Amino acid sequence: MKRPPRLPTLRRALLCHVLLAGLVTVVAAAGAGTTAWRTSNQQAARAALQVSAAIADAAIASLATHDFGAPGGYDRADVLDRLQPFVLSGTVYRVKLWIVEGERARILVSDEARLEGTSRDTDSGPLRSIGSAGQRIFDVPDDVEHRYETTRQDQLLEVFLDFRDAARNVLSLELYVPAGGDAAALQAMTDQLPLLVAGALGIGLATLPLTVAASRRTRRTAERYAILATLAVTASDRERRELAQRLHDGPIQALSAASVVMSLDTMTLPGVPPAGSRTLAHNLVRDSIRQLRTLTDDVVPDPIPAADLAARLPALLRPAVPEPIALDVRVAHHDPGADLNDDHALLVARSARELVRNAVRHGRPARVSVILDIGDTLRLTVDDNGAGFDPRRGPQPGHVGLTLIAQAVADAGGALSLRSSPNTGCTATVQLPLPRSPHQGA
């Protein structure tokens, strides 16, 4: 029998493993990068607020003594002198001092003189909550007002510090604080990414043997079931050929003879009285019906309840053993606590019939003995005194049914064993573990 082609399961499994390991590495790196970026930005925002709070403590108290709403109420140079050290030291990149005038806000003082006099509505952007006191932090937007900060837009955070001057005018000191979040995130990724990638790849390599082992098991299972499927088809073809042969040699021949007898009903047959022609035809038809019923039972056997197995087993096996081969069937039930269910009974019946047919077909014995012993373990023994075979060479080709029975028994948790030698017959044994009935004590 031709062996099914080897399935490329291992190659696919290795490819899937590599792709999955790569995907895990990419996802882990992306997740780590996102986390590092978010954490760094949060830390940058906290740092910006801390810097702004320190500047507020140092500068706003002195700024609040002026009247920024009155002409000559403040000295621009003096205001810049108080804020310029923070700019020169790099603590802040730019400063703007806003005053609220009705529904608009105007820049009074900035280290970038070209911004002074710029005004905006207070109902848009960060100025919407100006005068609410406290600290507010924002990303630097890309607009005309911030045209002088666009070169460092992604590196700055703008912080508003609201206060009131001596005349109770609403003012807000806007500071542009270097964020450094992206740089910190990049540094964190530079430090951590190699370790992360190495860890993910290490896990992939460590689990590779498991993938290979699982793939090989899967491949062996697939090949085994492919072989069993081929055997099942072979067994089906064999059953059809045997069925056709039995129909030809049995009912078809008998019905043909009955047809001849009925057509010659008015003629005298040698050795048959004229009145007995119809009786002979009737007997032929009756025998054909009996043979057809036997064939029907063989093709589609009725379910066998466990309670009826012992009584029905001899009748089930008898058609498989032609005359003059002797058939001996014995059933012993030693353990009332053993739970023999209908599935066990059907498996035993099919196994016994296949083993008996196999013995008759290949061994050509004079006797076949079947012993069913039901105890804590079910044991079915089929023994014959036929030709046997050499166990070192295994059964001869054509024993397809044995392979199928062995697999069915194994799937039920049991085992099929064969013991034989040339010219001494063969003994086949099926063993199945049986659970105990729940109502039986230990």
Side-chain angles (χ1 to χ4, degrees):
M1 181 172 53
K2 184 178 180 181
R3 185 180 178 84
R6 184 175 295 274
L7 303 175
T9 307
L10 180 58
R11 186 185 308 166
R12 290 200 303 267
L14 290 175
L15 178 59
C16 291
H17 184 91
V18 171
L19 292 177
L20 182 60
L23 178 62
V24 169
T25 302
V26 171
V27 171
T34 302
T35 301
W37 178 83
R38 184 182 297 115
T39 302
S40 298
N41 284 340
Q42 291 172 350
Q43 292 175 347
R46 286 194 295 268
L49 291 176
Q50 291 172 356
V51 169
S52 301
I55 295 175
D57 292 340
I60 288 182
S62 61
L63 294 176
T65 61
H66 298 284
D67 180 3
F68 288 95
Y74 69 96
D75 184 357
R76 177 180 182 275
D78 179 63
V79 172
L80 287 178
D81 286 343
R82 296 180 185 279
L83 298 176
Q84 198 71 19
F86 301 106
V87 177
L88 295 176
S89 66
T91 305
V92 297
Y93 176 72
R94 174 143 298 131
V95 296
K96 299 176 185 178
L97 181 61
W98 294 83
I99 185 171
V100 176
E101 299 172 331
E103 296 182 354
R104 296 186 68 81
R106 178 169 56 90
I107 299 176
L108 293 176
V109 180
S110 174
D111 63 308
E112 174 54 66
R114 290 173 292 182
L115 291 172
E116 294 178 358
T118 301
S119 64
R120 290 179 55 187
D121 291 336
T122 57
D123 62 351
S124 63
L127 296 179
R128 182 179 295 112
S129 57
I130 193 170
S132 60
Q135 295 175 310
R136 307 184 311 283
I137 188 168
F138 303 94
D139 293 327
V140 178
D142 184 10
D143 55 22
V144 175
E145 179 197 330
H146 299 88
R147 60 189 178 278
Y148 301 115
E149 292 82 39
T150 53
T151 57
R152 297 190 59 183
Q153 180 181 353
D154 296 334
Q155 304 170 18
L156 298 173
L157 294 173
E158 57 178 359
V159 182
F160 288 84
L161 305 170
D162 295 341
F163 67 97
R164 290 180 181 268
D165 65 5
R168 306 303 295 169
N169 294 302
V170 177
L171 292 103
S172 186
L173 179 61
E174 182 182 5
L175 305 174
Y176 290 75
V177 182
D182 293 342
L186 179 60
Q187 184 61 44
M189 285 300 297
T190 303
D191 295 339
Q192 299 176 11
L193 186 59
L195 295 177
L196 182 65
V197 172
L201 293 178
I203 294 174
L205 290 175
T207 56
L208 183 59
L210 299 178
T211 299
V212 172
S215 173
R216 286 175 176 170
R217 286 196 300 270
T218 302
R219 182 183 61 190
R220 288 194 296 267
T221 301
E223 290 179 344
R224 182 182 66 177
Y225 280 106
I227 292 173
L228 289 177
T230 302
L231 291 174
V233 172
T234 302
S236 177
D237 290 341
R238 184 198 68 186
E239 293 288 348
R240 285 196 295 268
R241 288 194 299 270
E242 290 184 354
L243 179 62
Q245 187 65 39
R246 293 170 65 182
L247 286 171
H248 178 271
D249 295 343
I252 293 178
Q253 295 286 358
L255 291 174
S256 298
S259 174
V260 172
V261 170
M262 294 178 68
S263 64
L264 298 177
D265 187 31
T266 57
M267 300 177 63
T268 301
L269 298 177
V272 180
S277 298
R278 292 186 179 180
T279 301
L280 177 59
H282 174 76
N283 292 336
L284 291 172
V285 172
R286 182 188 60 193
D287 291 343
S288 299
I289 293 174
R290 178 181 57 80
Q291 294 177 34
L292 288 173
R293 285 176 176 171
T294 300
L295 289 173
T296 301
D297 291 338
D298 287 346
V299 174
V300 186
D302 293 332
I304 300 178
D308 299 341
L309 178 62
R312 294 181 56 180
L313 191 59
L316 179 69
L317 299 179
R318 182 69 260 180
V321 183
E323 298 293 346
I325 301 176
L327 175 64
D328 179 27
V329 181
R330 286 175 288 170
V331 179
H333 206 311
H334 299 298
D335 187 358
D339 187 11
L340 179 66
N341 56 40
D342 293 349
D343 291 337
H344 291 135
L346 181 59
L347 179 58
V348 168
R350 289 179 174 176
S351 300
R353 184 170 61 181
E354 181 58 36
L355 292 173
V356 168
R357 283 181 175 177
N358 189 74
V360 171
R361 182 183 301 111
H362 300 286
R364 299 180 300 278
R367 171 194 55 80
V368 178
S369 174
V370 179
I371 300 175
L372 177 60
D373 194 338
I374 304 174
D376 56 349
T377 298
L378 183 148
R379 182 188 298 269
L380 171 68
T381 303
V382 177
D383 179 78
D384 69 81
N385 61 352
F389 61 91
D390 186 350
R392 293 173 298 180
R393 297 182 178 178
Q396 296 299 314
H399 294 68
V400 177
L402 285 179
T403 303
L404 298 177
I405 290 298
Q407 183 60 45
V409 171
D411 290 343
L416 169 65
S417 61
L418 298 174
R419 188 176 70 253
S420 180
S421 59
N423 303 317
T424 61
C426 177
T427 300
T429 303
V430 171
Q431 294 191 77
L432 283 174
L434 293 180
R436 299 188 62 82
S437 299
H439 57 78
Q440 292 291 331

